[in-house]
Amino acid sequence: MRTFLRSHRALQVLAPLLLGSAVAAPYQVQIQRTAYGIPHILGADLGSVGYGAGYAYAQDNLCLLADQILTVRGVRSKYLGAQGTTVVGFQTVSNLDSDFFFKSMIDLTALRRGYAAGPAEHLKLMAGYAAGYNRYLRDTPPEQRPEACRNAAWVQPISEDDVMRMLEEKAIQASAGSFVTALANTAPPQPGKTSGLPAVDLAAFDATHQLNQLPIGSNGWALGAQATENGRGLLLGNPHFPWQTTNRFYELHVTIPGQLDVMGASLGGMPVINIGFNRDVAWTHTVSTDKRFTVSALQLDPGNPLRYLKDGVSRPIHPRTVVVEVGARRASPCRAAYCTPPRTARCSTCRRPG
């Protein structure tokens, strides 16, 4: 089965793609599905490959990706309720804690600045992915979508900002993602009561948040020519990633004639292949048992719970307001996120909106 897509910024139509057509189109892509439904995506450039990958993934995993968009935007409580749960950093957390975490941790301005400083092709790839996903939404009426999200208000168009957020979520899930509940629920002691605090139990904190004992693993096997029947090298990628959320691997094949021809698997929402092969080389990666955290505790300033001591010097802790919408409530929950050094956002007192 083949899907031919032509995209034009002013007029979006589903029609056979004629490479070299006189009609200008920023995305030119062909999707052909073979046995078991694997998408083979042929694109004119990286933006087109991203367009095809976003469209194909939406065809197969619309509800899964739409749900993940809620997570990285920090709006799960608004659409699915504060008491529901999701998986972040390989741990089950409440929607409310997840929302506070992502609203406080993802710095969209910094992400945009970082990507803008890199190759322009990266931005085109992300923009294409978002456009392909949105094209599928336009092609598929709400009542014809999968049952899990059919007619759901939370299935919405996305932008390259959302792709940046999803890539950031994957980058921090084995680091900052381990601290979702800790960061979302931290609060300073009352003024004047810092001296009576119990001793910090770093071992218990480590165990609670699984900082150095990730509940995942994987294997990778490389066999030389002497160990195979055909006398050629062989690589086995055996990732033990979970099946929840967009951590479930997705198989695809992407080609740009004369530039790129690679097949493998990617995590959901990522417009690149993470584990795969081309005509010359194959690659995989594993989850190691290395310790990624060294946990230590700094003493709070006895005279001010919003200051801490480092090298004998009292330094400030900067609160920042984080507001999360919950359902149809008039007043949304509000917490303060505490950070050092200060973020660019102005720090303020946590107040409930009127």
Side-chain angles (χ1 to χ4, degrees), residues 194-272:
T194 57
S195 59
L197 293 177
V200 176
D201 189 340
L202 294 180
F205 184 84
D206 188 343
T208 297
H209 300 285
Q210 297 180 304
L211 302 184
N212 291 310
Q213 295 181 350
L214 290 177
I216 59 174
S218 55
N219 297 314
W221 297 86
L223 305 178
Q226 295 178 345
T228 63
E229 290 185 356
N230 64 4
R232 302 175 63 184
L234 174 68
L235 178 69
L236 170 65
N238 183 218
H240 297 181
F241 252 57
W243 291 91
Q244 304 103 323
T245 72
T246 50
N247 281 329
R248 186 173 68 195
F249 274 106
Y250 179 73
E251 187 174 2
L252 71 165
H253 177 201
V254 297
T255 303
I256 302 173
Q259 298 182 41
L260 178 71
D261 187 8
V262 58
M263 186 171 183
S266 68
L267 298 176
M270 300 189 77
V272 295

Side-chain angles (χ1 to χ4, degrees), residues 60-221:
D60 297 333
N61 297 283
L62 174 65
C63 302
L64 189 67
L65 191 63
D67 182 271
Q68 189 70 0
I69 292 296
L70 297 183
T71 297
V72 297
R73 285 178 176 175
V75 294
R76 296 189 64 83
S77 299
K78 177 180 179 179
Y79 293 100
L80 303 178
Q83 301 307 314
T85 61
T86 189
V87 175
V88 180
F90 311 109
Q91 300 181 47
T92 300
V93 300
S94 73
N95 287 344
L96 191 60
D97 283 352
S98 174
D99 289 343
F100 275 113
F101 174 79
F102 281 101
K103 279 185 172 291
S104 62
M105 286 299 296
I106 290 187
D107 187 337
L108 190 55
T109 300
L111 286 177
R112 290 171 179 163
R113 184 170 59 248
Y115 280 111
E121 288 80 5
H122 294 176
L123 291 173
K124 293 177 182 178
L125 183 65
M126 290 186 288
Y129 192 92
Y133 175 91
N134 294 339
R135 171 66 179 273
Y136 176 78
L137 292 186
R138 292 192 297 274
D139 287 349
T140 311
E143 64 275 10
Q144 296 180 14
R145 295 170 186 171
E147 183 178 356
C149 59
R150 187 171 299 157
N151 294 310
W154 47 269
V155 179
Q156 301 171 353
I158 67 174
S159 69
E160 51 264 47
D161 284 348
D162 293 310
V163 181
M164 291 181 191
R165 290 183 176 107
M166 288 191 290
L167 292 173
E168 180 75 356
E169 184 272 330
K170 290 292 175 280
I172 66 175
Q173 61 180 345
S175 53
S178 299
F179 297 96
V180 172
T181 55
L183 292 174
N185 294 282
T186 191
Q190 295 297 315
K193 296 184 178 181
T194 57
S195 59
L197 293 177
V200 176
D201 189 340
L202 294 180
F205 184 84
D206 188 343
T208 297
H209 300 285
Q210 297 180 304
L211 302 184
N212 291 310
Q213 295 181 350
L214 290 177
I216 59 174
S218 55
N219 297 314
W221 297 86

